[in-house]
Amino acid sequence: MGEELILTVIYLGDTLPRYVLKNLEYLLSTFDKSEVYFISDSVSSINKAAKIGVKTWLAPNPDQQWRDVREQLNHPMSFRQGFWFKTLARIFVLNSFMQLHKDESCLQIEADVFLFQDFPLAKVFNLDAEIAFPMESNEMGIASLLYLKDHKSAQTLTDFALNEIQSNPQITDMSLLGQIAHSKILKFVPLPTLPESLQGALSQPEAITLICQNSLCDTGVFDGITIGQYLLGVD
């Protein structure tokens, strides 16, 4: 295993928003001891990211590479240019990338997620886990931050996703991660979204162990979606 986490930002599609490049610049300058990769299926986007000095990897076009998966899903592909498929495709793309970094740990950061300068990379790197991410609720995970220990973990996640898509065409990346959290397929550690002192605010008391994780709460919280939406609204 390498000495530092590989930080990856995946953005699929032809149009690259300016905020993605701004975030890449920030990650590159703030976490300069880590490798920062931008992954996309767009040559234009790859070239733009390369100009700011970030490492890049050109992914296969998901619509072509995983066409059979796309056709199995029962989601409206007109919604945000295939949004639901692309969120699942990120899992397959990340697995393909990690085939080239088999023994490296990886933290996938959604392109609109901001990491503060004191983000505990070392703690995440040393997690006793094969996979880690925040929970949005007791049933739903969210890949705002997705830690994978190595390529074996990424492959296990991919295989599970492909099987679940076959049996449930309505599945999303969030419900898929929720199933991972409650299964023993991968050793999972939740990234806490609430400090333990606020656990009484949960509407689902059964979610306490998934949303208030003692081992990381002293570091801060890892917002999946809720806090950001409360402060800034939806989109």
Side-chain angles (χ1 to χ4, degrees), residues 73-128:
L73 288 171
N74 189 19
H75 294 296
M77 292 301 163
S78 58
F79 178 69
R80 294 187 187 174
Q81 299 177 322
F83 173 82
W84 295 113
F85 168 67
K86 286 178 180 176
T87 56
L88 286 165
R90 284 184 309 188
I91 292 171
F92 311 142
V93 167
L94 189 58
N95 180 45
S96 297
F97 170 78
M98 292 186 73
Q99 284 182 333
L100 306 174
H101 305 269
K102 289 185 180 290
D103 298 320
E104 302 293 316
S105 296
C106 178
L107 181 66
Q108 190 268 149
I109 305 163
E110 286 194 344
D112 59 353
V113 167
F114 178 79
L115 303 188
F116 285 98
Q117 293 179 2
D118 60 351
F119 184 88
L121 282 181
K123 278 198 170 187
V124 175
F125 179 71
N126 290 303
L127 283 174
D128 183 20

Side-chain angles (χ1 to χ4, degrees), residues 5-9 19-20 22-32 34-37 106-122 124-125 133-134 143-147 191-192 219-224:
L5 274 173
I6 296 177
L7 307 182
T8 64
V9 174
Y19 71 80
V20 180
K22 289 293 184 183
N23 202 6
L24 287 169
E25 288 177 338
Y26 170 79
L27 292 171
L28 197 61
S29 63
T30 305
F31 304 101
D32 54 357
S34 295
E35 288 187 296
V36 180
Y37 273 89
C106 178
L107 181 66
Q108 190 268 149
I109 305 163
E110 286 194 344
D112 59 353
V113 167
F114 178 79
L115 303 188
F116 285 98
Q117 293 179 2
D118 60 351
F119 184 88
L121 282 181
V124 175
F125 179 71
F133 49 84
S144 53
L145 295 171
L146 176 64
Y147 165 82
L191 301 178
T219 301
V221 294
F222 304 77
D223 181 37

Side-chain angles (χ1 to χ4, degrees), residues 104-195:
E104 302 293 316
S105 296
C106 178
L107 181 66
Q108 190 268 149
I109 305 163
E110 286 194 344
D112 59 353
V113 167
F114 178 79
L115 303 188
F116 285 98
Q117 293 179 2
D118 60 351
F119 184 88
L121 282 181
K123 278 198 170 187
V124 175
F125 179 71
N126 290 303
L127 283 174
D128 183 20
E130 295 174 303
I131 189 170
F133 49 84
M135 295 294 290
E136 193 271 337
S137 69
N138 192 52
E139 295 82 21
M140 297 284 187
I142 190 161
S144 53
L145 295 171
L146 176 64
Y147 165 82
L148 288 166
K149 181 180 179 181
D150 50 28
H151 174 246
K152 182 181 177 182
S153 303
Q155 186 65 57
T156 300
L157 176 61
T158 296
D159 292 342
F160 180 74
L162 291 172
N163 288 332
E164 289 303 307
I165 288 168
Q166 280 190 327
S167 59
N168 178 15
Q170 290 278 53
I171 200 166
T172 67
D173 64 321
M174 294 177 67
S175 57
L176 175 77
L177 292 177
Q179 291 181 40
I180 287 285
H182 289 282
S183 73
K184 295 183 179 179
I185 294 167
L186 287 164
K187 188 170 184 179
F188 166 67
V189 167
L191 301 178
T193 53
L194 275 181

